[in-house]
Amino acid sequence: MSDNWIDSLKYDEKGLIPAIAQDYQDGAILMMAWMNRQALELTINTGEVHYWSRSRQELWHKGATSGHIQKLKKLYYDCDRDVILVKIEQVGDIACHTGARSCFFTEVPLSI
């Protein structure tokens, strides 16, 4: 695979790009994290999703300690080339560090 598309992505000033993890079967948005070029390349080369931890300042192989790995099924970038979408198989069906399936479980009450 040519790396030209990886070079064409728009990383922020820290070399990071947001990555949205979506269940490849039901379309649920499970989490958002950050990737750098190395995390993106590892994801593609291993078939398991890697991120960049901003708090720990290190690469993070999702599920390496919990067993809740994310198996890469498809990978996209958006029209502006500044967001990655990884369609994944979530092993264990838990993506959030809280133990929830998705990190997006807090609904904001709206009065519209």
Side-chain angles (χ1 to χ4, degrees):
M1 174 186 299
S2 170
D3 290 344
N4 292 340
W5 69 270
I6 295 176
D7 293 331
S8 74
L9 296 175
K10 296 177 184 173
Y11 302 91
D12 70 9
E13 64 280 351
K14 295 178 182 174
L16 303 175
I17 189 167
I20 300 166
Q22 181 181 36
D23 186 289
Y24 82 105
Q25 290 182 316
D26 69 10
I29 302 298
L30 301 179
M31 59 178 282
M32 179 274 175
W34 296 91
M35 288 184 163
N36 61 10
R37 183 186 176 103
Q38 186 179 11
L40 190 53
E41 289 173 339
L42 279 168
T43 296
I44 293 164
N45 293 333
T46 66
E48 294 182 357
V49 183
H50 292 70
Y51 298 104
W52 177 258
S53 171
R54 295 182 304 164
S55 60
R56 296 187 310 268
Q57 291 292 299
E58 65 184 15
L59 283 170
W60 160 36
H61 177 196
K62 176 66 175 158
T65 56
S66 69
H68 299 139
I69 62 169
Q70 295 179 341
K71 294 182 180 180
L72 181 65
K73 295 298 184 179
K74 294 186 177 190
L75 191 141
Y76 300 83
Y77 52 84
D78 76 327
C79 57
D80 293 325
R81 297 179 179 261
D82 61 1
V83 178
I84 296 291
L85 174 63
V86 286
K87 292 197 174 196
I88 57 135
E89 174 188 345
Q90 180 64 61
V91 174
D93 207 29
I94 296 173
C96 186
H97 74 280
T98 66
R101 177 173 192 241
S102 170
C103 294
F104 297 96
F105 55 82
T106 306
E107 184 175 353
V108 176
L110 301 175
S111 57
I112 53 174

